[in-house]
Amino acid sequence: MKYLASLLLATSLVSTPICTAQAEPIAQFEISNISNNLFSFSPDGAVFASIVDVDKVPQMELHNSETGELITRSTQSVSGTFSPAWTSDGHGLYTEGGGQEQMLHWDGKKWNLLDLKGIEFGLFSFGRAELSADATMLSVDNFKTDISIVRLANQSWQLLDTQEEISDLAIWSPDGRYLATGHGGTVILWDAKKLHEVRRFEGLVPDNDYNRFTSIDTLDWSPSGQYLAIGTPIGNGYLVDLENTEADPIDLLGDFTSVSQLQWVLKTGLFWQEQEVLIYKASNEKVHEDHLLWYDPEDNDVIYDHMVGPQSPLLFIGGNFLVQTLIGSGKAVVQTEMPDLVRQISINYISVIEPDGNSVRKKLPDNFRGMAISPDGRFIVIREYVDNRVQKASLWDFDTFMDEL
């Protein structure tokens, strides 16, 4: 035994440690200092869009998500007033052109410039553009608080006549039946072909001076187009069932004081057969708790309830709690920002939460400034500051990125 112990000790002293090579991102590239809204994956996750400064002129770049290779760069400048509108197959997109009356179209092979005389896109990157289900019309909502409808065949456009002072956003239903628009405390459903009003939901925000300028900040259709989720910045949440045309919106608040981050997943499997599920954050400020709920609209019931921890004081002074759902798996990816009181900085974390209760939580890099995840959950792009506050984007395989944290 003494000999064996000596041999083991000698072996341990001369053994060479096993070194595991550090994984690298698929690609890294500099990007413009822009809103994270303009970090965008195509619907199938195969292409990633970002904006880069070329000789101080902002241009849009498209990268292959699998390889990181540059597919194309726009032939005209883009100002980033709204997030790009992807075609459903991910092979094309529309974005704002270099002028206030122009739009750029990437058709999968080349860039085309559309002239839209008289249209105005606003000044800030708070809006979005979205294609109708049949790809014949484009809705544009923006900081100018109006909604423009572009008919692509003849490059004409019109303002949507909402009869409302403020217009927040517009979303086409995936089944091609409706356009939903938000206006303060009101949501309007329009016939997607004729653009006439079908139904109006009012009083979604309490009518008082405090809520006078509150907007509708979430309109999210379920994959089938049967359900519409509605959210506001002050924590109201509703669900509309379009198969029940006479029913009032379902109030999702329940015993909670606020709900937010409403997003859909579609889970196929032994227990969920093509089941549409709504995931949202629910908070109870009375006991300072945050939950993530998986809600079944067919049974009007919460399937899963995950308490994601006590509320952070930082959440009330600019901290983040951002949810992105992975539509085909039923998972939710959550980015949270928490205070480090010792170093007097904020620390960002990323969590992957599954509906069966399994979860993984990892700390993000200190220079983290934002992220986007492909809808299929295969890829993630991280926005980071480097020397001299230059921003770069790091494109990763999602599983590899999580393993490296």
Side-chain angles (χ1 to χ4, degrees):
M1 292 294 294
K2 183 177 181 180
Y3 170 77
L4 179 59
S6 301
L7 179 62
L8 290 172
L9 177 61
T11 304
S12 66
L13 291 174
V14 300
S15 61
T16 302
I18 299 175
C19 295
T20 303
Q22 185 174 5
E24 297 291 336
I26 298 170
Q28 291 183 311
F29 37 89
E30 287 189 12
I31 55 175
S32 296
N33 184 10
I34 55 172
S35 165
N36 199 48
N37 292 334
L38 302 182
F39 247 23
S40 181
F41 279 98
S42 61
D44 61 359
V47 180
F48 170 70
S50 62
I51 293 180
V52 61
D53 284 329
V54 179
D55 297 328
K56 298 184 178 180
V57 176
Q59 296 183 349
M60 178 166 285
E61 288 187 343
L62 304 183
H63 289 261
N64 183 301
S65 300
E66 191 84 42
T67 64
E69 294 179 0
L70 178 65
I71 299 172
T72 184
R73 180 182 292 157
S74 65
T75 54
Q76 302 284 337
S77 65
V78 294
S79 58
T81 292
F82 55 80
S83 299
W86 292 93
T87 57
S88 58
D89 60 9
H91 295 163
L93 62 77
Y94 291 85
T95 190
E96 184 188 347
Q100 274 287 307
E101 299 180 345
Q102 294 178 321
M103 187 171 291
L104 276 173
H105 173 215
W106 168 250
D107 64 8
K109 296 181 180 179
K110 64 183 184 303
W111 292 92
N112 307 291
L113 191 63
L114 282 63
D115 287 317
L116 301 169
K117 297 299 183 183
I119 198 170
E120 294 183 275
F121 296 125
L123 300 174
F124 301 94
S125 54
F126 295 139
R128 60 184 292 171
E130 186 170 304
L131 277 170
S132 60
D134 61 5
T136 62
M137 290 185 283
L138 188 75
S139 63
V140 180
D141 55 81
N142 53 58
F143 190 73
K144 290 187 67 64
T145 65
D146 54 31
I147 295 171
S148 302
I149 304 295
V150 179
R151 297 184 184 274
L152 297 170
N154 59 8
Q155 297 186 28
S156 65
W157 69 278
Q158 68 182 78
L159 286 177
L160 195 61
D161 186 14
T162 65
Q163 302 296 314
E164 296 285 339
E165 293 183 7
I166 296 176
S167 296
D168 303 314
L169 71 167
I171 308 291
W172 304 91
S173 66
D175 61 5
R177 293 189 295 168
Y178 300 109
L179 172 69
T181 61
H183 316 270
T186 299
V187 169
I188 305 174
L189 291 181
W190 307 78
D191 181 281
K193 303 294 184 183
K194 300 178 181 179
L195 294 180
H196 64 74
E197 184 176 323
V198 175
R199 193 172 178 196
R200 180 179 291 247
F201 303 99
E202 298 179 315
L204 301 179
V205 174
D207 186 13
N208 55 50
D209 290 340
Y210 176 78
N211 297 324
R212 183 179 178 185
F213 299 106
T214 294
S215 62
I216 300 292
D217 70 348
T218 301
L219 287 176
D220 198 17
W221 290 98
S222 67
S224 70
Q226 179 178 346
Y227 302 103
L228 175 65
I230 303 170
T232 74
I234 61 173
N236 307 99
Y238 302 93
L239 184 73
V240 175
D241 182 354
L242 275 300
E243 297 301 318
N244 191 344
T245 57
E246 301 300 323
D248 292 329
I250 298 171
D251 192 339
L252 298 173
L253 203 58
D255 295 330
F256 295 96
T257 55
S258 68
V259 297
S260 60
Q261 313 273 331
L262 295 88
Q263 299 175 49
W264 291 94
V265 292
L266 180 64
K267 186 69 173 66
T268 303
L270 180 61
F271 300 105
W272 285 0
Q273 295 297 328
E274 294 292 333
Q275 184 175 3
E276 296 179 317
V277 177
L278 181 65
I279 297 178
Y280 57 93
K281 174 192 172 189
S283 300
N284 191 331
E285 296 177 4
K286 297 177 181 177
V287 293
H288 304 290
E289 289 181 352
D290 286 324
H291 297 247
L292 206 59
L293 305 183
W294 276 250
Y295 171 82
D296 175 10
E298 186 174 345
D299 293 335
N300 188 23
D301 187 34
V302 173
I303 304 173
Y304 301 105
D305 179 346
H306 295 294
M307 195 178 82
V308 290
Q311 290 179 340
S312 165
L314 190 64
L315 294 177
F316 301 101
I317 55 171
N320 288 324
F321 186 112
L322 301 176
V323 178
Q324 180 170 340
T325 57
L326 307 183
I327 191 166
S329 67
K331 298 178 182 178
V333 179
V334 181
Q335 178 221 326
T336 51
E337 184 180 1
M338 306 291 284
D340 184 331
L341 300 180
V342 175
R343 294 193 291 166
Q344 296 185 341
I345 61 172
S346 60
I347 304 296
N348 287 279
Y349 296 89
I350 183 172
S351 302
V352 180
I353 304 175
E354 300 185 27
D356 62 6
N358 293 326
S359 63
V360 176
R361 183 173 185 250
K362 299 286 187 73
K363 177 182 174 297
L364 289 162
D366 287 343
N367 59 351
F368 169 86
R369 289 299 181 272
M371 69 181 187
I373 304 171
S374 62
D376 58 4
R378 293 181 58 202
F379 304 105
I380 184 171
V381 172
I382 298 297
R383 182 195 304 279
E384 299 171 287
Y385 274 130
V386 291
D387 294 338
N388 299 320
R389 297 183 68 81
V390 173
Q391 289 202 54
K392 71 174 182 180
S394 298
L395 173 64
W396 288 83
D397 172 88
F398 184 81
D399 292 336
T400 302
F401 175 76
M402 292 297 294
D403 289 341
E404 286 299 302
L405 291 178

